[in-house]
């Protein structure tokens, strides 16, 4: 069966052929704009600890070669980032399973991707980020296809693709050397299969086994891209349950029987009882096929968890998202964090600008824009739900997004794991949100003048848009233009800045140029801290203090332990005179009687807390101890 027939069960009178030449030039425009935004200034932002994990494992290297509890040179710390032409796919999988907490599919793709490009002594950040940027570009036509299947409308598909091209959240995810854009593609694929299956159900047709097989493959590959893909599967299950409940009511009332063109045999027309029996058998058969999807996906996941993952896999890597339900802020923060993620899928102004006035004005404008655009989207959703051709696609998107948000809150509040804290985890429902937003916004384009169209509605009152003349197409254009400007905000690093900013710490570290030696020390728990120090080393490697800078990863087995303090004291005894000691995110008691704390007040830097101590004559420490 052809893919277009498999995914597009809508009658031909409601859906133009999937291959329509006139649609491609405009789609190529959206793809071109999306590619330009995703590849612009791709390597300008400094890599951060999560990206370093991607770089190291994709090369087939390991973090375990970085020594702890001793002073190491900058080149030793950056050794895992050296190009490894002898690294194999087996090395990638082995190191990943034993040192990280992510599945291997993206890292294997990145491994082979990097082998396509010539690189120098160290890995190229641009090469590493170009793969997720390319996958982000591919999500644009993928969303176009999803919207075509969901709504059966070229106009809506173009609105959805246009929003995907300029979504600031999409730009942010695509410029990270991480696996989220690959996972997004599989969320789109799985959601595409769900939508097509529901449309078969709605028409009263049998779901093809080819679609079931395609759905299972998409789910398996999605799980192998990111383990949080299971949250998307949970959201799909909720959406499917909601729509099956609606469909079951239709089956029981027999209102759907006359529309099922595949059930128009004479025997079926003979009596009402026969129609109900046939519909019930068809419904049961489709439930059996949907069950095969869940069974095939579930068996693979269970087998993977049992046979592939080692014990205590990644247990120490998720401590940072543990939820504190004891405080008031701990209870309300997830709501605002999740809301912020959803908003930035549509727009984001320079709220992270270094200029306070710009931040304040941007915040005010974002709130004003929110108050303006939300009534439009709500009205558009109501209009599309009432449309005979578009209501099903909108219901699927709405149920999927609502189900995902419900799961996020359930995991956060019931399990005590705040997955709303990381905006990147919203990749789970990002495609569904764009489908919902695009489908709602497209109502403005399709119904022309907002005021006139709404005045013809008996129950829906129009939102007031006197400032733009009430023109629906102009409304869509303005929303898209705000999205485009928001994408530039992310590209220029005025929004969605990296969680770690070693580039901002560099000017302060260079204050140690006059010192004979420099030691940068931190407490070590996992490879996260190694990545933090790698960020500083990456920025320092081309400076004049690089040769005299050493790093210390003092392992700390538990919070407030003095083990790291003792390690620091021991290492200081081996260092030369005239030492500048930088404590960075040092989470242990500090006992440095012979080093002078500097009174410099360093500003807050993303991911780095700096303290400077000057140790003019470290040999005195040795004499005192002897």
């Amino acid at each position: 069966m052809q893919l277009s027939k498999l995914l597009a069960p809508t009658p031909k009178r409601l859906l133009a052929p999937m291959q329509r030449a006139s649609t491609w030039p405009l789609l190529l425009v959206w793809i071109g704009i999306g590619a330009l935004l995703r590849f612009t200034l791709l390597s300008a932002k400094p890599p951060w600890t999560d990206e370093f994990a991607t770089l190291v494992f994709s090369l087939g290297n390991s973090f375990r070669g970085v020594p702890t509890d001793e002073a190491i040179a900058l080149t030793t710390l950056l050794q895992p980032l050296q190009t490894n032409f002898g690294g194999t796919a087996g090395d990638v999988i082995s190191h990943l399973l034993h040192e990280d907490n992510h599945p291997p599919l993206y890292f294997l793709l990145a491994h082979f991707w990097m082998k396509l490009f010539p690189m120098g002594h160290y890995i190229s950040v641009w090469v590493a980020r170009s793969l997720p940027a390319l996958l982000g570009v591919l999500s644009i036509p993928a969303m176009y296809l999803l919207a075509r299947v969901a709504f059966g409308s070229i106009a809506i598909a173009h609105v959805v693709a246009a929003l995907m091209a300029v979504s600031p959240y999409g730009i942010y995810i695509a410029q990270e050397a991480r696996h989220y854009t690959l996972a997004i593609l599989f969320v789109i694929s799985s959601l595409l299969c769900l939508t097509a299956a529901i449309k078969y159900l709605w028409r009263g047709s049998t779901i093809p086994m080819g679609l079931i097989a395609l759905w299972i493959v998409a789910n398996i590959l999605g799980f192998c891209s990111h383990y949080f893909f299971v949250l998307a599967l949970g959201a799909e299950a909720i959406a499917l349950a909601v729509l099956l409940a609606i469909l079951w009511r239709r089956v029981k009332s027999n209102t759907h029987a006359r529309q099922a063109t595949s059930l128009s045999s004479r025997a079926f027309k003979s009596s009402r009882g026969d129609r109900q029996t046939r519909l019930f058998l068809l419904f049961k058969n489709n439930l059996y096929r949907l069950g095969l999807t869940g069974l095939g996906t579930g068996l693979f996941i269970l087998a993977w968890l049992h046979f592939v993952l080692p014990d205590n896999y990644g247990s120490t890597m998720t401590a940072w998202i543990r939820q504190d339900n004891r405080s008031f802020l701990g209870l309300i923060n997830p709501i605002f964090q999740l809301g912020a993620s959803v908003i930035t899928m549509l727009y984001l102004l320079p709220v992270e600008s270094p200029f306070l006035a710009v931040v304040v004005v941007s915040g005010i404008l974002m709130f004003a824009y929110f108050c303006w655009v939300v009534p439009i989207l709500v009205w558009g959703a109501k209009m599309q739900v009432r449309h005979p051709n578009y209501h099903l696609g909108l219901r699927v998107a709405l149920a999927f997004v609502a189900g995902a948000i419900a799961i996020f809150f359930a995991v956060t509040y019931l399990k005590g794991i705040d997955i709303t804290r990381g905006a990147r985890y919203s990749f789970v429902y990002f495609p569904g949100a764009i489908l919902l937003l695009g489908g709602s916004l497209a109502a403005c384009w399709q119904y022309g003048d907002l005021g006139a169209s709404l005045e013809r509605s008996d129950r829906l009152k129009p939102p007031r848009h006197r400032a733009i003349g009430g023109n629906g197409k102009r409304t869509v254009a303005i929303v898209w233009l705000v999205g485009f400007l928001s994408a530039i905000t992310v590209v220029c690093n005025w929004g969605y800045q990296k969680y770690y900013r070693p580039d901002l710490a560099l000017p302060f570290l260079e204050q140690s140029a006059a010192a004979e030696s420099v030691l940068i020390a931190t407490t070590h728990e996992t490879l996260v801290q190694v990545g933090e120090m790698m960020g500083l080393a990456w920025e320092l490697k081309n400076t004049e203090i690089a040769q005299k800078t050493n790093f210390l990863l003092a392992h700390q087995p538990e919070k407030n332990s003095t083990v790291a303090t003792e390690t620091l004291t021991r290492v200081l005894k081996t260092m030369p005179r005239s030492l500048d000691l930088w404590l960075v995110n040092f989470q242990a008691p500090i006992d440095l009687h012979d080093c002078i704390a500097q009174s410099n007040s360093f500003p807050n830097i993303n991911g780095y807390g700096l303290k400077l101590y000057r140790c003019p004559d470290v040999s005195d420490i040795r004499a005192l101890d002897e």
Side-chain angles (χ1 to χ4, degrees):
M1 181 179 291
Q2 294 181 356
L3 182 63
S4 60
K5 293 181 179 179
L6 201 66
L7 297 177
T10 309
K12 290 184 178 180
R13 62 185 178 85
L14 299 180
L15 177 64
M18 298 298 287
Q19 301 295 334
R20 181 169 175 174
S22 61
T23 69
W24 292 111
L26 185 56
L27 180 59
L28 290 176
V29 170
W30 308 134
I31 294 174
I33 292 173
L36 180 65
L37 291 171
R38 284 158 177 79
F39 281 92
T40 299
L41 300 177
L42 187 58
S43 60
K45 302 171 187 177
W48 65 293
T49 181
D50 279 18
E51 290 185 294
F52 281 124
T54 304
L55 305 183
V56 171
F57 293 128
S58 297
L59 286 169
N61 292 336
S62 168
F63 280 92
R64 291 182 174 176
V66 178
T68 60
D69 297 333
E70 63 181 83
I72 58 175
L74 181 146
T75 53
T76 302
L77 179 58
L78 294 181
Q79 188 276 332
L81 296 174
Q82 294 178 11
T83 51
N84 179 12
F85 298 105
T88 65
D91 294 331
V92 175
I93 296 174
S94 176
H95 294 319
L96 193 66
L97 290 178
H98 292 92
E99 300 179 42
D100 198 51
N101 59 345
H102 293 293
L105 180 58
Y106 174 81
F107 297 85
L108 289 172
L109 289 178
H111 174 75
F112 293 113
W113 176 263
M114 292 174 186
K115 288 183 178 294
L116 300 177
F117 298 88
M119 290 185 288
H121 184 66
Y122 290 113
I123 191 173
S124 166
V125 174
W126 190 93
V127 170
R129 288 177 177 169
S130 62
L131 176 58
L134 177 62
L135 296 174
V137 173
L138 294 178
S139 68
I140 300 170
M143 284 301 300
Y144 176 86
L145 177 61
L146 174 59
R148 281 290 302 269
V149 171
F151 295 101
S153 167
I154 294 175
I156 296 179
H158 277 299
V159 172
V160 170
L163 289 182
M164 190 67 171
V166 300
S167 169
Y169 180 86
I171 305 299
Y172 149 66
I173 287 294
Q175 291 195 326
E176 290 263 294
R178 296 295 281 166
H179 41 186
Y180 301 110
T181 49
L182 179 64
I184 285 171
L185 281 177
F186 289 122
V187 172
I188 295 173
S189 302
S190 185
L191 193 54
L192 184 66
C193 294
L194 169 69
T195 305
I198 290 174
K199 297 195 85 170
Y200 276 108
L201 286 167
W202 211 261
R203 287 184 57 207
S205 303
T206 301
I207 302 174
M209 288 303 297
L211 179 61
I212 298 300
L214 186 64
W215 199 352
I216 294 174
V217 171
N219 292 343
I220 289 175
L221 293 177
F223 178 79
C224 291
S225 301
H226 199 292
Y227 291 135
F228 277 11
F229 185 84
V230 297
L231 304 181
L233 295 180
E236 287 186 9
I238 292 174
L240 185 61
V242 170
L243 291 162
L244 282 176
I246 296 173
L247 181 60
W248 178 244
R249 289 200 300 267
R250 292 181 59 136
V251 170
K252 291 184 68 176
S253 63
N254 205 33
T255 58
H256 187 57
R258 297 185 182 90
Q259 302 174 13
T261 56
S262 63
L263 303 177
S264 57
S265 65
R266 293 181 180 178
F268 178 74
K269 292 181 178 179
S270 62
S271 69
R272 179 184 177 92
D274 290 341
R275 285 198 301 268
Q276 290 177 326
T277 301
R278 182 73 178 274
L279 280 174
F280 176 77
L281 292 175
L282 176 63
F283 192 80
K284 183 178 179 180
N285 183 47
N286 279 330
L287 286 181
Y288 166 75
R289 296 189 175 212
L290 292 173
L292 284 179
T293 305
L295 181 63
T297 304
L299 286 177
F300 176 85
I301 293 175
L302 290 176
W304 181 276
L305 296 177
H306 182 73
F307 294 107
V308 177
L309 296 190
D311 294 336
N312 299 320
Y313 179 67
S315 59
T316 61
M317 301 290 291
T318 58
W320 70 278
I321 56 174
R322 294 292 175 182
Q323 170 71 356
D324 180 14
N325 290 325
R326 294 171 295 179
S327 66
F328 176 72
L329 287 178
L331 291 174
I332 66 172
N333 276 344
I335 299 173
F336 289 99
Q337 288 164 178
L338 195 65
S341 296
V342 175
I343 288 173
T344 57
M345 293 177 184
L346 190 61
Y347 70 100
L348 175 64
L349 298 183
V351 291
E352 292 184 283
S353 168
F355 305 105
L356 179 60
V358 175
V359 173
V360 173
V361 172
S362 297
I364 294 173
L365 291 178
M366 284 188 68
F367 179 75
Y369 184 79
F370 177 84
C371 296
W372 174 80
V373 76
V374 167
I376 296 174
L377 296 173
V378 172
W379 168 83
K382 291 179 179 178
M383 292 297 293
Q384 301 294 50
V385 165
R386 295 174 58 184
H387 197 288
N389 296 343
Y390 307 146
H391 71 97
L392 188 57
L394 197 76
R395 287 180 178 180
V396 172
L398 181 59
F400 174 78
V401 173
I405 291 175
I407 291 174
F408 267 61
F409 284 140
V411 172
T412 298
Y413 289 111
L414 300 181
K415 297 291 292 183
I417 302 176
D418 187 5
I419 56 177
T420 68
R421 188 174 299 178
R424 54 197 183 275
Y425 299 144
S426 294
F427 81 87
V428 168
Y429 58 89
F430 173 51
I434 292 295
L435 184 65
L436 178 61
L437 294 171
S440 301
L441 186 63
C444 302
W445 186 277
Q446 292 177 313
Y447 286 87
D449 184 86
L450 285 176
S453 65
L454 287 169
E455 286 171 3
R456 291 193 294 268
S457 174
D458 295 331
R459 286 179 285 180
L460 294 178
K461 299 295 183 182
R464 298 191 179 277
H465 301 97
R466 303 305 179 192
I468 60 171
N471 186 281
K473 290 182 172 61
R474 190 180 304 171
T475 300
V476 176
I478 288 177
V479 172
W480 185 86
L481 180 60
V482 171
F484 179 78
L485 296 175
S486 300
I488 294 177
T489 294
V490 177
V491 169
C492 295
N493 210 25
W494 297 329
Y496 268 128
Q497 293 183 352
K498 301 296 184 184
Y499 293 96
Y500 291 81
R501 292 293 305 276
D503 56 318
L504 297 182
L506 180 62
F508 300 103
L509 297 177
E510 288 184 312
Q511 294 177 7
S512 298
E516 181 180 341
S517 181
V518 179
L519 178 65
I520 301 175
T522 189
T523 46
H524 170 268
E525 295 181 22
T526 67
L527 62 83
V528 171
Q529 288 73 44
V530 182
E532 291 172 358
M533 294 300 100
M534 278 182 169
L536 295 175
W538 189 264
E539 295 297 315
L540 285 168
K541 69 179 188 299
N542 295 321
T543 66
E544 63 179 28
I545 68 170
Q547 295 298 322
K548 61 181 180 182
T549 299
N550 291 279
F551 292 83
L552 170 63
L553 294 158
H555 187 68
Q556 187 178 30
E558 57 186 18
K559 190 175 181 180
N560 297 323
S561 170
T562 61
V563 173
T565 306
E566 296 168 359
T567 300
L568 175 60
T569 302
R570 174 177 55 79
V571 171
L572 281 175
K573 297 176 184 179
T574 67
M575 300 300 295
R577 300 176 60 180
S578 185
L579 170 72
D580 271 9
L581 171 64
W582 289 90
L583 298 185
V584 181
N585 302 338
F586 201 84
Q587 305 298 322
I590 300 173
D591 184 15
L592 300 170
H593 300 295
D594 298 284
C595 295
I596 304 170
Q598 300 302 292
S599 59
N600 304 52
S601 179
F602 299 107
N604 292 327
I605 298 173
N606 291 11
Y608 295 99
L610 304 178
K611 292 181 181 179
L612 173 61
Y613 292 81
R614 287 208 158 94
C615 308
D617 192 347
V618 183
S619 60
D620 292 343
I621 301 177
R622 299 193 196 100
L624 288 172
D625 288 342
E626 292 172 357

